[in-house]
Amino acid sequence: MRFRGWIFPAAAGLAALFAAASSAQPSAPRPAPREAPAEPVVVELFTAQGCAGCPEVNARVEALAAEPGVIALTYAVDYWDYLGWEDTFARPEFAERQRSYRRPLRLRAVSTPQVVIDGRRAAPVAAVEALQAAVEEEAERRVFPPEIEFRESGDRVGVGSGRVPTGGAEVVAVIYKPGPQTVEIGAGDNRGRTVRQVNVVRAVNVLGGWTGRPGLYRLPAGLGEDEAVAVLVQARADRRILNGAVRPPR
């Protein structure tokens, strides 16, 4: 699969502002070097521990999270709690973020599980092939986004210049715990099951508006040692994500 994004971008244009290959058998050809991609594909999963149909899609998104050039983020929503199990990761603002996609994506309603890619489309989740194909289609898109670069001090992030979408844009910090987490479910539709989720989001913070000019933004203070932060430049009106980058746990 050919993806378009660096998870840890090095933006030369921002500098003024702010593998070893595994051994192969002698007869095997050496893999060709991967072409340097432009920007990542952001895959946002809205899910719930009490949703019977969610664990299967959770697993599909976890597989995507392992692909190069993909930023996968899992948001736990709270509107399934009425079934008897209070989601241990859910926060009301995650459901609000999901609802913010309904009108721009022309959705009749929000649902779980739901996957939104680059803020541009709700991806099909019924079949793994369809979800994979949707991600690949977005990977081929060239949007010439603003560059994103984290300061070495780790407390700020720089965003470069570019065209501002109609309605303006904002810089969003999504704090999450990388890797999978499992939870034993004690009630509701998934009672007795172990639910597994990857890159579970803990908080979402708007760092400020983006005007199209280069700027520095202060990252949220007090990040845990096990927490990563994904910085997204996102349109306010149509919610499309112009670019994203990840600062791993320090």
Side-chain angles (χ1 to χ4, degrees):
M1 183 183 302
R2 181 169 174 266
F3 287 105
R4 63 179 194 201
W6 288 114
I7 298 300
F8 313 106
L14 287 177
L17 174 66
F18 332 89
S22 59
S23 57
Q25 297 297 326
S27 59
R30 184 179 297 275
R34 180 183 294 274
E35 179 184 351
E39 65 271 3
V41 177
V42 180
V43 176
E44 296 181 282
L45 167 65
F46 297 92
T47 186
Q49 294 167 2
C51 162
C54 287
E56 184 177 359
V57 178
N58 292 353
R60 293 172 185 168
V61 171
E62 183 174 348
L64 287 173
E67 296 283 356
V70 172
I71 298 175
L73 301 167
T74 296
Y75 301 84
V77 298
D78 59 357
Y79 49 80
W80 284 85
D81 291 358
Y82 78 96
L83 292 177
W85 176 256
E86 187 173 340
D87 196 296
T88 60
F89 299 136
R91 297 184 65 169
E93 55 264 40
F94 300 161
E96 183 60 32
R97 180 169 178 83
Q98 183 185 21
R99 285 191 287 269
S100 75
Y101 285 122
R102 186 183 65 81
R103 181 173 294 179
L105 298 184
R106 300 182 179 180
L107 303 173
R108 296 183 62 181
V110 298
S111 61
T112 49
Q114 188 168 63
V115 174
V116 176
I117 303 178
D118 278 348
R120 297 174 180 271
R121 61 193 291 183
V125 297
V128 63
E129 295 84 0
L131 178 57
Q132 190 91 8
V135 173
E136 289 184 356
E137 288 173 9
E138 285 301 313
E140 294 299 321
R141 187 188 299 274
R142 294 295 185 219
V143 296
F144 305 103
E147 297 169 327
I148 302 173
E149 184 181 71
F150 294 97
R151 292 290 298 269
E152 291 185 4
S153 60
D155 63 342
R156 296 189 182 189
V157 62
V159 177
S161 61
R163 174 178 290 184
V164 180
T166 301
E170 59 193 11
V171 180
V172 181
V174 181
I175 301 167
Y176 68 97
K177 181 177 181 180
Q181 297 185 68
T182 58
V183 177
E184 301 288 338
I185 308 302
D189 285 359
N190 285 331
R191 181 177 181 178
R193 299 182 67 180
T194 298
V195 172
R196 181 178 170 109
Q197 297 165 301
V198 69
N199 296 353
V200 175
V201 174
R202 294 181 173 176
V204 179
N205 297 273
V206 176
L207 303 185
W210 178 68
T211 65
R213 296 182 178 181
L216 276 175
Y217 301 81
R218 186 175 296 276
L219 294 173
L223 295 179
E225 293 183 355
D226 64 343
E227 292 180 328
V229 57
V231 171
L232 312 176
V233 183
Q234 186 163 28
R236 288 194 177 103
D238 64 17
R239 306 304 293 156
R240 58 193 170 97
I241 294 173
L242 308 181
N243 203 4
V246 169
R247 197 207 75 179
R250 299 178 66 84

